[in-house]
Amino acid sequence: MPYHEFNCSKCIPERKKHAVIKGPGETLADALPLGYLNTIPGTISERGCAYCGAKHVIGTPMKDVIHMSHGPVGCTYDTWQTKRYISDNDNFQIKYTFATDMKEKHIVFGAEKVLKKNIIEAFNAFPDIKRMTIYQTCASALIGDDMNAIADEVMEEMPEVDIFVCNSPGFGGPSQSGGHHKINIAWINQKVGTVEPKITSDYVINYVGEYNIQGDQMVMLDYFKRMGIQVLSTFTGNGSYDDLRAMHKADLNVLECARSAEYICNELRVRYGTPRLDIDGFGFEPLSASLRKVGLFFGIEDRAKQVIAEETAKWKPQLDWYKERLRGKKVCLWPGGSKLWHWANAIHEEMGVEVVSVYTKFGHQGDMEKGISRCEEGALAIDDPNELEGLEAMEMLQPDIIFTGKRPGEVAKKVRVPYLNAHAYHNGPWKGFEGWVRFARDVYNGIFSPIHQLSMLDISKDEIPTDRGFMTQR
Ligand code: CFM
């Protein structure tokens, strides 16, 4: 049986089918954990909610927009300090955060009036910004405020503004993934097709499922531009609201994070006949293959080859320097969603590290399928892990470094495992050829930095341990 049972989760028998170890000669059919199910009562999940998936992952990277949460002020928590989807308009979208600040009286008497007042106040406070997205939260969904009606009212009174309504309350799915789906569909239903763009090239794409973490989008845009491609819109990192209204006019949707944004690509294919091409901006080989595929689609493969040759010549020697030093280091890839399969074999092959575990907090079974198929034998794959399982896995696998989020990352530090931020990166961007070198440098610094060696000291014993401390050394 390939399922892996954690000692700490023996009291939650349903957890057993959520982890597997990839055994020798096993097919994916033997070794696929359950996924995208409701969190099991009793396990402390680290997932986000469907509001978070809609607003904080996909909505807010749109740059020229007032992003207003219709709910309690705490719902706006994720902003400058946790999100790093920068933009070239001085980061307006993460510098300012807006909420209607619902209180008990609004729950009792309704909050439509306060929503309208807030919308107008926000537009007046930022007269240069004429676009707004309003997000439903659990509170406003439960009391049934008609946000669409309020948005229509304001747009009638202020014809120069445009408002997008996202009805994705926190309970709208088992995790943030439910919110990804809702906002994808809401955007195509409400906004795509309402602006006609200026076409400046014979090769026009939408760049989809790209969130410009620490500048990823800007690095990739440079390659597309050098190939003579017009990037009509980016869904949504550093993306402009009105550009995204014109998504219907692209020749091709180039899709990066399929987990969060395949829905809109699939709809664009059904409604407008635009083909979808899945690509990968991480890793020299996957990225080169991706640029070649895009080139091939338009019959400009030679231009792709030129970009690849230039970039590889410039950056490959540096990557190889790190590979030599990182060979055999053990890595846990523990992001939220799709990065486990974007990275698994790419870091193994191009940085020489061993991926001993992958996990996903909200990925679907298809993400696990891709992730596990790209892992080596013996890798431990976990769906929707809880904190104790993470600790047990680290004790069992003794990784040299883990990629994860801030919360599990702090837990890892306590057991003296260095961590890198899989979500917001350390010294990104990590996409593109230069980004991949930065990625390798972060891994190298994470493992070899003297400060981490110091953290291995067990001051309670006043001695220097000969190997990594872990829990037994405390
Ligand atoms: Fe896609 Fe993302 Fe991810 Fe995701 Fe995320 Fe993210 Fe992530 Mo954090 S859209 S699935 S919901 S690649 S915010 S930019 S890093 S968990 S693996």
Side-chain angles (χ1 to χ4, degrees), residues 57 180 211 213 257 259-260 335-339 362 423:
V57 176
H180 301 157
Y211 303 101
I213 309 295
C257 173
R259 176 65 285 120
S260 62
S338 67
K339 282 170 181 167
F362 58 82
H423 305 255

Side-chain angles (χ1 to χ4, degrees), residues 126-160:
F126 293 92
D128 293 343
I129 305 284
K130 301 287 183 209
R131 302 290 177 254
M132 184 182 289
T133 296
I134 50 179
Y135 302 89
Q136 195 181 36
T137 61
C138 296
S140 48
L142 283 169
I143 63 170
D145 277 1
D146 190 345
M147 293 169 50
N148 295 70
I150 300 296
D152 288 345
E153 251 179 68
V154 176
M155 284 193 281
E156 217 167 280
E157 289 169 27
M158 301 173 77
E160 71 282 13

Side-chain angles (χ1 to χ4, degrees), residues 37-340:
L37 297 173
N38 288 330
T39 293
I40 300 162
T43 181
I44 308 293
S45 174
E46 293 176 342
R47 289 165 154 180
C49 65
Y51 155 84
C52 169
K55 178 178 191 278
H56 296 306
V57 176
I58 297 186
T60 336
M62 259 192 259
K63 64 183 172 186
D64 42 9
V65 181
I66 292 169
H67 294 281
M68 167 101 61
S69 293
H70 186 34
V73 74
C75 295
T76 62
Y77 170 78
D78 268 308
T79 172
W80 185 255
Q81 82 286 20
T82 57
K83 294 293 179 188
R84 289 187 181 169
Y85 28 63
I86 56 174
S87 67
D88 58 12
N89 68 340
D90 200 22
N91 302 305
F92 177 80
Q93 77 287 4
I94 38 178
K95 228 154 97 181
Y96 300 98
T97 190
F98 303 83
T100 51
D101 194 14
M102 283 176 77
K103 296 282 194 294
E104 279 167 292
K105 67 176 178 190
H106 302 121
I107 300 295
V108 177
F109 298 109
E112 287 176 356
K113 278 191 197 127
V114 86
L115 173 62
K116 187 171 175 185
K117 188 172 149 269
N118 273 273
I119 294 174
I120 294 168
E121 195 181 314
F123 274 132
N124 288 338
F126 293 92
D128 293 343
I129 305 284
K130 301 287 183 209
R131 302 290 177 254
M132 184 182 289
T133 296
I134 50 179
Y135 302 89
Q136 195 181 36
T137 61
C138 296
S140 48
L142 283 169
I143 63 170
D145 277 1
D146 190 345
M147 293 169 50
N148 295 70
I150 300 296
D152 288 345
E153 251 179 68
V154 176
M155 284 193 281
E156 217 167 280
E157 289 169 27
M158 301 173 77
E160 71 282 13
V161 306
D162 198 86
I163 302 173
F164 167 61
V165 183
C166 176
N167 289 309
S168 176
F171 52 76
S175 66
Q176 50 267 65
S177 186
H180 301 157
H181 184 222
K182 286 193 168 60
I183 195 170
N184 271 242
I185 301 303
W187 185 262
I188 193 164
N189 280 345
Q190 289 176 47
K191 295 300 169 198
V192 174
T194 57
V195 157
E196 287 307 306
K198 204 171 146 209
I199 301 297
T200 56
S201 163
D202 291 337
Y203 321 113
V204 184
I205 65 169
N206 294 313
Y207 187 22
V208 185
E210 161 54 52
Y211 303 101
N212 200 32
I213 309 295
Q214 284 202 4
D216 278 350
Q217 183 249 17
M218 291 141 171
V219 173
M220 295 292 288
L221 232 53
D222 174 54
Y223 306 146
F224 294 134
K225 278 189 189 148
R226 279 154 65 187
M227 288 168 67
I229 292 170
Q230 179 186 2
V231 180
L232 200 60
S233 74
T234 304
F235 187 91
T236 54
N238 198 29
S240 160
Y241 186 103
D242 280 359
D243 290 348
L244 284 156
R245 294 165 76 184
M247 287 180 93
H248 60 297
K249 280 294 163 72
D251 304 317
L252 178 69
N253 289 312
V254 172
L255 175 61
E256 186 98 35
C257 173
R259 176 65 285 120
S260 62
E262 64 176 356
Y263 316 105
I264 196 161
C265 287
N266 294 348
E267 284 302 312
L268 286 162
R269 182 167 54 196
V270 171
R271 300 184 197 190
Y272 300 98
T274 324
R276 154 187 166 175
L277 187 74
D278 289 32
I279 67 147
D280 206 324
F282 297 110
F284 279 41
E285 273 311 309
L287 171 56
S288 301
S290 299
L291 293 177
R292 279 199 301 271
K293 272 201 295 187
V294 176
L296 206 60
F297 178 86
F298 289 118
I300 50 171
E301 208 188 352
D302 50 327
R303 298 188 195 174
K305 282 183 179 159
Q306 195 179 336
V307 172
I308 296 162
E310 284 167 17
E311 293 292 318
T312 307
K314 197 163 158 196
W315 298 106
K316 187 76 178 8
Q318 291 197 40
L319 184 69
D320 290 342
W321 189 92
Y322 289 112
K323 184 178 182 179
E324 250 170 63
R325 285 151 183 87
L326 292 174
R327 200 180 299 279
K329 293 292 176 196
K330 291 193 284 182
V331 177
C332 290
L333 274 188
W334 290 352
S338 67
K339 282 170 181 167
L340 74 118

Side-chain angles (χ1 to χ4, degrees), residues 7-50:
N7 286 326
C8 62
S9 290
K10 280 209 162 96
C11 52
I12 317 171
E14 301 93 323
R15 280 295 302 156
K16 194 173 166 186
K17 290 193 172 168
H18 290 261
V20 301
I21 291 183
K22 186 175 180 180
E26 271 170 4
T27 70
L28 281 168
D30 296 321
L32 207 54
L34 297 179
Y36 198 51
L37 297 173
N38 288 330
T39 293
I40 300 162
T43 181
I44 308 293
S45 174
E46 293 176 342
R47 289 165 154 180
C49 65

